[in-house]
Structure formats: structure tokens, C-alpha cells
Amino acid sequence: MSVRMFTAPLILVLIGVAAYAANPGDAVAGKAYFTQMCKQCHTAEDGDGGGEIGPSLVGVFGRTAGVGDTRFSYTPALQGSKLVWNAATLERFLANPAVTVPGTAMPLPVPDQKDRDNLIAYFQSLAGQH
Ligand code: HEC
């Protein structure tokens, strides 16, 4: 048996581990966190009964900040931020909205990295459904 026979599967396993490490969020846990902490103000999925104090987050992953919900009056701060919501920008914004976008009306930071990862995985899992 040659070493080479094992190399390809080993590399695939390592790539899998690396991909997992880069995106460790758990979408199911993210949904649970969203229901508890965000849904009073936001909808993430059509028909989830979320509140309208904040803009709809249906399809938020991949869209430009401050434009997605046409019925919502976004702050000029968020509209002017020119952010596009992806894992990196959501990570920064959710960690501290008021610092990332000074003047935003989004009041709630998500202090725990794991909760942010889970929320991002949840939003990502919904991407492309709209
Ligand atoms: C008390 C109400 C409230 C809660 C709770 C809340 N938000 Fe918000 N959120 C807002 C408001 C209001 C805005 C609009 C901010 C602006 O226009 O500057 C917003 C904006 C956002 C945006 C940007 C949306 C866009 O279309 O660009 C994201 C993402 C977001 N919130 C995520 C969350 C998450 C995740 C949670 C739960 C951890 C949460 N919010 C909890 C009120 C809330």
C-alpha cells in the first residue's frame, strides 16, 4: 500500500474540518436565539410572526444594508453605511451596532461570538429562498 492512497481522502477531511472551523454556526440554535431575542422586532422568515419595530430581515443575507424592507424607514446612518450583509459584516454589526454604524436605530448588540455565529448560520441557511 502506498502513502499516496491515503493522501487524497486525508486532504478532503482536512478541507472539511477547515470549512467547519470557518463557519462554525448552528442554524437551528441561531433560529432559537432569533426567536428569543430578535423576533419581537424582526421577521426572518415569511409567516414567522415577527414584529415590525425593525425592518423585515427576510432575505437579509447578501443584500445591501438599509434598503431591503421598502416599507421601513431606515435611518440615514444605516442607509449610508454601504454595508452588504455577509458573514463578516453581520459579525461586526451584531457585535456592536452603534459602533459599526454610528447613529443606527438597531439597539441590540449580540455580545457572545457563538450566538453571532449561530444567527449568521441561520440567516445564511435562509438565503436564496426568496
Ligand atoms: C427593539 C427592536 C429590535 C430588536 C430587539 C432587534 N432589532 Fe435589529 N433592528 C431594529 C431597527 C429599528 C433596525 C433599523 C436600524 C436603522 O434603520 O438604523 C434594525 C436593523 C437590523 C439589521 C439591518 C437590517 C437591514 O435591512 O439592513 C439587522 C441585520 C438586524 N437589525 C439584526 C437583528 C438581530 C439579529 C437581532 C437579535 C439579536 C435584532 N436585530 C434585534 C430593531 C431591533
Side-chain angles (χ1 to χ4, degrees):
M1 284 214 220
S2 75
V3 173
R4 185 167 279 185
M5 278 177 66
F6 294 101
T7 309
L10 181 65
I11 286 172
L12 287 177
V13 167
L14 289 176
I15 289 171
V17 169
Y20 180 79
N23 185 9
D26 173 346
V28 174
K31 179 171 183 167
Y33 188 90
F34 185 89
T35 301
Q36 215 183 339
M37 303 298 289
C38 322
K39 212 171 110 175
Q40 73 196 78
C41 295
H42 291 291
T43 291
E45 298 179 60
D46 286 328
D48 72 3
E52 295 181 354
I53 296 167
S56 168
L57 299 180
V58 174
V60 72
F61 196 91
R63 83 186 183 197
T64 304
V67 301
D69 184 342
T70 52
R71 289 167 307 179
F72 186 81
S73 296
Y74 289 97
T75 59
L78 191 62
Q79 284 186 313
S81 72
K82 301 278 189 289
L83 293 172
V84 175
W85 295 129
N86 55 37
T89 53
L90 282 168
E91 157 65 25
R92 271 199 293 139
F93 181 69
L94 293 177
N96 203 334
V99 166
T100 305
V101 180
T104 183
M106 159 68 183
L108 195 77
V110 180
D112 190 324
Q113 171 85 63
K114 191 159 187 55
D115 293 329
R116 294 195 298 273
D117 287 342
N118 293 345
L119 280 168
I120 290 164
Y122 174 47
F123 293 144
Q124 197 163 9
S125 77
L126 298 172
Q129 290 182 13
H130 290 269

